[in-house]
């Protein structure tokens, strides 16, 4: 195994890509410690001490939000812009046409996504600055505008940083930035657990249970994330000139978790909206609604699970084109054994996808409520070992390792993944 891993550094191109990626990580981590001018860090810390809503947001920014640094918004506006563009592709013919134009269409979509990111980041920065104006030393319109521009510039820089990693490093740059932010919180969480043990708040048995649950969940997430339903495909044999084509078998891989982490992001955004609003306004009925939707309450948990199931089906239906799959099979002479080409094939694929999507939605719902289960089982609170973060970390790690593995094997070295 060690010799196989050593093959990575025998390839100059791959070695340079890994070093470049690590340098970008270092720049990202340095940026999380550069504070936004005109903000009182003590007031920000008091807000984070009031609950785990801000702590959850801070996890995905790698601690930049709690420090209110220039990267406080992280890469979230870019992710929102990319999701919006993906959903709009279904309803806007121009975007749908771009999606079929290959590399040129991808460039056009990327350009629009960048502009949309700037707009979303600026409005989010304005809202954040106004909502946290109690922490601003001199909250006049000019200072709020300066802070908003600074936060927007930080997000745009992270977007550029992610694109550089994708182009010159290894893996998907945007995903790796989120990955780095989540992993960077690990030492802080370990320190929190250590202080709990030293203070006698929790026992060593609780720590052991926490470790067992963590390892079990990592194995479970890897197993589901690599799970596929393979639909067998056969191709009719055709003769063109003096050569025969087709006559072979293949399969269509349908992923169990087709939607990834997107349904959890959608569901949490919907449920966090009233709670976030209640943090900054003094309206009795809003406070009442927010109290019922606090993280971990029975109503919040039930709505969370239902919304995740709904958004899993919704996002899968938007992104997976069953009719196109059936049409392409028919066009190239492929068919599912025992199923007629055309609409019967589309109906069969839709039936199979509906069933495995149910399993995927239940998996996502379980992962999403995992922090509540861990806190109840181990009595360890304040440690953000969330299922969403775990899903992102494992997914990004697997994707990056597969890319490195393919580059190693392509150059006739032994791979390191079994």
């Amino acid at each position: 195994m060690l010799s196989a891993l050593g093959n990575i550094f025998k390839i100059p191109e791959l070695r340079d890509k890994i070093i470049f990626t690590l340098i970008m990580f270092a720049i990202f981590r340095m940026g999380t410690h550069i504070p936004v001018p005109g903000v009182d860090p003590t007031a920000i810390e008091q807000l984070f001490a009031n609950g785990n809503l801000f702590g959850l947001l801070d996890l995905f920014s790698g601690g930049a939000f709690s420090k209110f640094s220039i990267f406080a918004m992280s890469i979230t506006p870019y992710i929102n812009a990319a999701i919006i563009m993906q959903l709009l592709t279904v309803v806007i013919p121009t975007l749908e046409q771009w999606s079929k134009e290959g590399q040129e269409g991808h460039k056009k979509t990327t350009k629009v996504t960048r502009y949309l990111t700037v707009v979303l980041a600026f409005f989010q920065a304005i809202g954040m600055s106004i909502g946290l104006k109690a922490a601003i030393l001199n909250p006049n319109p000019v200072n709020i505008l300066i802070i908003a521009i600074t936060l927007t510039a930080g997000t745009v820089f992270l977007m550029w940083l992610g694109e550089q990693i994708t182009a010159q490093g290894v893996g998907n740059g945007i995903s790796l930035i989120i990955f780095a932010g989540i992993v960077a919180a690990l030492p802080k969480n370990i320190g929190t657990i250590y202080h709990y043990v030293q203070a006698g708040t929790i026992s060593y048995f609780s720590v052991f249970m926490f470790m067992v649950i963590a390892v079990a969940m990592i194995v479970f997430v890897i197993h589901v994330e690599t799970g596929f339903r393979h639909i067998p495909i056969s191709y009719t044999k055709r003769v063109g000139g003096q050569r025969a084509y087709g006559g072979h078998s293949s399969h269509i891989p349908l992923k169990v978790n087709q939607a990834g982490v997107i349904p959890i992001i959608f569901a949490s955004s919907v449920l966090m909206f009233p709670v976030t609003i209640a943090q900054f306004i003094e309206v009795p009925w809003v406070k009442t609604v927010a109290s019922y939707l606090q993280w971990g309450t029975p109503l919040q948990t039930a709505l969370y699970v239902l919304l995740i199931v709904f958004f899993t089906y919704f996002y899968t239906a938007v992104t997976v084109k069953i009719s196109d799959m059936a049409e392409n099979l028919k066009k190239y002479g492929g068919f599912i054994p025992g199923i007629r080409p055309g609409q019967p094939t589309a109906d069969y694929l839709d039936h199979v996808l509906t069933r495995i999507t149910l399993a995927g939605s239940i998996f996502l719902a379980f992962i999403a409520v995992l922090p509540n289960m861990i806190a109840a089982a181990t009595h360890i609170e304040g440690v953000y070992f969330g299922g969403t973060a775990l899903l992102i970390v494992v997914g990004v790690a697997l994707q990056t390792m597969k890319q490195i593995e393919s580059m190693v094997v392509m150059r006739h070295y032994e791979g390191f993944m079994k």
Side-chain angles (χ1 to χ4, degrees), residues 9 11 24 38 45 47 71-72 82 91 109 122 138 177 188 205 230 234 239 270 284 334 348 351 385:
F9 299 97
I11 305 172
M24 295 298 103
E45 291 177 1
L47 288 173
F71 293 159
V91 296
T109 305
F122 182 73
N138 187 13
I177 287 176
K188 180 181 177 181
F205 179 72
H230 296 288
S234 297
V239 178
V270 171
Y348 176 78
H351 175 69
F385 182 74

Side-chain angles (χ1 to χ4, degrees), residues 8-9 39 43 106 125 136 139 166 175 185 245 274 284 288 290 314 323 342 363 374 403 417:
I8 295 175
F9 299 97
V39 177
H106 177 71
I136 300 176
T166 302
S175 300
Y245 301 91
T288 303
F314 173 77
S323 57
F363 161 72
I374 292 179
Q403 181 175 338
M417 295 180 66

Side-chain angles (χ1 to χ4, degrees), residues 170-188:
V170 290
N172 182 283
I174 302 299
S175 300
L176 284 172
I177 287 176
I178 302 174
F179 172 88
I182 295 173
V183 172
L186 185 61
K188 180 181 177 181

Side-chain angles (χ1 to χ4, degrees), residues 97-155:
Q97 181 62 33
W98 288 356
S99 67
K100 299 177 181 178
E101 292 179 0
Q103 189 64 27
E104 289 300 318
H106 177 71
K107 289 180 180 179
K108 296 176 184 177
T109 305
T110 301
K111 186 177 181 179
V112 176
T113 303
R114 290 170 182 166
Y115 288 132
L116 183 58
T117 299
V118 175
V119 174
L120 293 178
F122 182 73
F123 280 106
Q124 182 177 337
I126 289 287
M128 185 182 296
S129 302
I130 294 175
L132 300 176
K133 66 179 181 180
I136 300 176
L137 299 176
N138 187 13
N140 57 56
V142 175
N143 285 342
I144 290 177
L145 182 61
I146 292 174
I147 292 172
I149 293 174
T150 303
L151 292 173
T152 303
T155 295

Side-chain angles (χ1 to χ4, degrees), residues 169-410:
V170 290
N172 182 283
I174 302 299
S175 300
L176 284 172
I177 287 176
I178 302 174
F179 172 88
I182 295 173
V183 172
L186 185 61
K188 180 181 177 181
N189 289 336
I190 294 176
T192 301
I193 294 175
Y194 175 77
H195 290 306
Y196 279 161
V197 174
Q198 292 295 104
T201 307
I202 60 175
S203 64
Y204 285 102
F205 179 72
S206 295
V207 177
F208 175 74
M209 285 183 61
F210 181 84
M211 294 175 61
V212 170
I213 293 174
V215 172
M217 288 311 304
I218 291 173
V219 173
F220 177 58
V221 170
I222 292 175
H223 181 71
V224 176
E225 280 296 290
T226 56
F228 290 87
R229 169 70 184 273
H230 296 288
I231 307 297
I233 300 295
S234 297
Y235 289 90
T236 56
K237 192 171 184 179
R238 296 173 296 169
V239 178
Q242 296 182 348
R243 298 184 61 181
Y245 301 91
H248 63 278
S249 299
S250 183
H251 64 268
I252 299 177
L254 295 179
K255 195 175 181 181
V256 174
N257 180 24
Q258 194 75 43
V261 75
I262 301 299
I264 298 179
I265 295 175
F266 281 178
S268 59
S269 298
V270 171
L271 292 177
M272 284 168 62
F273 181 74
V275 180
T276 305
I277 295 298
Q279 296 277 342
F280 307 113
I281 62 176
E282 297 296 333
V283 178
W285 69 269
V286 174
K287 294 286 186 182
T288 303
V289 173
S291 65
Y292 287 107
L293 295 178
Q294 287 292 335
W295 183 266
T297 60
L299 178 60
Q300 187 271 343
T301 303
L303 290 176
Y304 199 23
V305 170
L306 291 176
L307 284 174
I308 288 173
V309 173
F310 169 76
F311 282 124
T312 302
Y313 275 98
F314 173 77
Y315 191 77
T316 302
V318 169
T319 56
V320 181
K321 308 295 186 182
I322 294 294
S323 57
D324 290 348
M325 293 170 60
E327 184 63 27
N328 289 333
L329 280 176
K330 184 177 180 180
K331 183 187 301 183
Y332 295 104
F335 63 94
I336 301 174
I339 307 295
R340 295 179 60 186
Q343 189 58 43
T345 297
D347 293 339
Y348 176 78
L349 291 175
D350 183 66
H351 175 69
V352 173
L353 187 62
T354 300
R355 294 172 61 187
I356 64 174
T357 300
L358 177 62
S361 64
I362 294 174
F363 161 72
L364 289 177
F366 174 71
I367 286 294
V369 300
L370 177 65
N372 299 345
M373 300 171 61
I374 292 179
T378 64
H379 305 289
I380 298 177
E381 299 181 355
V383 177
Y384 298 102
F385 182 74
T388 307
L390 179 62
L391 190 62
I392 293 173
V393 168
V394 171
V396 174
L398 286 174
Q399 181 184 12
T400 306
M401 288 174 64
K402 287 178 181 178
Q403 181 175 338
I404 296 175
E405 167 85 355
S406 64
M407 295 180 68
V408 171
V409 174
M410 186 171 60

